[in-house]
């Protein structure tokens, strides 16, 4: 409810007072947990599947992690999780009553289960139809689609122009491995810029309009 003394919402203070303050706080927490070395960057990349450039932005407080990465940090980082719990239990939070706590938690569990089921079904459909997701593909280091590299920009332009290109064309023209070429294409798909349509043998990549 709005305060009776005025018509404006209360002003947020502290770490939630602005994006810059949040970015600086997250940067301080991540450096406290991982240090400020290249190894720290690699650790955070492995934890969140973010790109190196994105992690560097977090550590330098250029911006805070977006929603997806922040949730991944909450799951994988004890320091970030403790920070969030501190916010939830802090004086600015609106605590749940004992009567409403149980149904809210139950609804949250149901929503989480539904999300996991939807993701599993979508991932299965993509794996079965896309030839770049074969059994010899190693998805461990798939990039998070945050920053497109030069090869990805080139490949996307070719697809937009109507060319029937795939990972082998990236390999031949850019002289990279098949794994790297497939990783580039996967990054474009995760970014929502590219889809594979048709059968495994006769299908093709198409741009998302």
């Amino acid at each position: 409810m709005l305060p009776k003394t005025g018509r404006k919402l209360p002003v947020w203070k502290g770490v939630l007072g602005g994006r810059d303050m949040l970015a600086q706080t997250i940067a301080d927490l991540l450096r406290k947990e991982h240090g400020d070395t290249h190894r720290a960057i690699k650790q955070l990349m492995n934890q969140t599947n973010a790109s190196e450039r994105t992690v560097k932005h977090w550590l330098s407080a250029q911006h805070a992690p977006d929603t997806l990465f922040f949730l991944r940090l909450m799951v994988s980082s004890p320091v970030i999780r403790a920070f969030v719990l501190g916010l939830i239990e802090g004086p600015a939070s609106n605590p749940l009553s004992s009567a409403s706590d149980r149904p809210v938690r139950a609804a949250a569990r149901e929503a989480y289960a539904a999300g996991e089921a939807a993701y599993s079904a979508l991932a299965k459909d993509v794996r079965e139809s896309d030839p770049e997701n074969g059994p010899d593909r190693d998805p461990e280091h798939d990039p998070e689609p945050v920053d497109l590299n030069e090869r990805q920009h080139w490949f996307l332009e070719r697809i937009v122009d109507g060319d029937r290109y795939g990972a082998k064309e990236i390999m031949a023209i850019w002289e990279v491995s098949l794994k790297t070429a497939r990783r580039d294409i996967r990054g474009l798909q995760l970014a929502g810029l590219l889809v594979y349509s048709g059968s495994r043998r006769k299908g093709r990549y198409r741009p998302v309009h």
Side-chain angles (χ1 to χ4, degrees):
M1 295 179 62
L2 291 173
K4 295 182 179 179
T5 55
R7 296 182 178 180
K8 294 183 178 180
L9 289 169
V11 178
W12 286 96
K13 299 180 180 180
V15 67
L16 298 180
R19 296 181 185 276
D20 292 342
M21 180 63 72
L22 178 61
Q24 186 61 59
T25 301
I26 296 298
D28 292 343
L29 292 172
L30 292 177
R31 287 198 297 267
K32 178 180 179 181
E33 180 179 10
H34 296 280
D36 197 11
T37 64
H38 188 68
R39 182 179 180 183
I41 295 173
K42 291 297 184 182
Q43 288 175 337
L44 286 167
M45 289 172 63
N46 290 332
Q47 280 184 226
T48 62
N49 206 24
S51 69
E52 181 175 354
R53 180 180 177 184
T54 298
V55 172
K56 287 181 177 179
H57 284 179
W58 300 344
L59 292 174
S60 62
Q62 292 190 39
H63 61 74
D66 64 18
T67 304
L68 176 62
F69 288 130
F70 191 74
L71 289 174
R72 289 177 179 176
L73 284 170
M74 283 179 58
V75 173
S76 61
S77 167
V79 172
I80 298 300
R81 187 159 58 247
F83 164 69
V84 173
L85 290 175
L87 290 176
I88 294 173
E89 298 172 358
S93 66
N94 185 16
L96 294 171
S97 65
S98 58
S100 63
D101 183 60
R102 184 173 299 176
V104 168
R105 291 179 183 274
R109 286 194 295 268
E110 291 177 3
Y112 175 80
E116 288 292 296
Y119 173 78
S120 298
L122 177 61
K124 181 176 183 296
D125 181 64
V126 170
R127 286 195 301 269
E128 290 178 350
S129 63
D130 189 346
E132 305 304 347
N133 288 297
D136 59 338
R137 179 181 163 274
D138 179 9
E140 181 180 355
H141 299 295
D142 279 353
E144 190 64 30
V146 177
D147 306 302
L148 300 184
N149 60 43
E150 191 175 1
R151 296 186 304 273
Q152 289 172 312
H153 282 293
W154 171 85
F155 185 78
L156 187 59
E157 289 175 0
R158 302 287 78 74
I159 298 302
V160 170
D161 289 342
D163 293 330
R164 200 183 188 94
Y165 276 17
K168 292 182 179 179
E169 283 71 28
I170 297 179
M171 285 178 58
I173 294 175
W174 291 90
E175 298 182 349
V176 295
S177 67
L178 180 60
K179 183 183 292 186
T180 297
R182 286 174 170 172
R183 194 158 56 229
D184 286 343
I185 293 175
R186 181 61 174 162
L188 291 169
Q189 290 177 302
L190 290 173
L193 301 173
L194 196 69
V195 295
Y196 186 84
S197 61
S199 66
R200 186 179 181 85
R201 293 185 60 185
K202 297 183 179 181
R204 62 186 302 173
Y205 291 103
R206 299 183 186 277
V208 176
H209 299 291

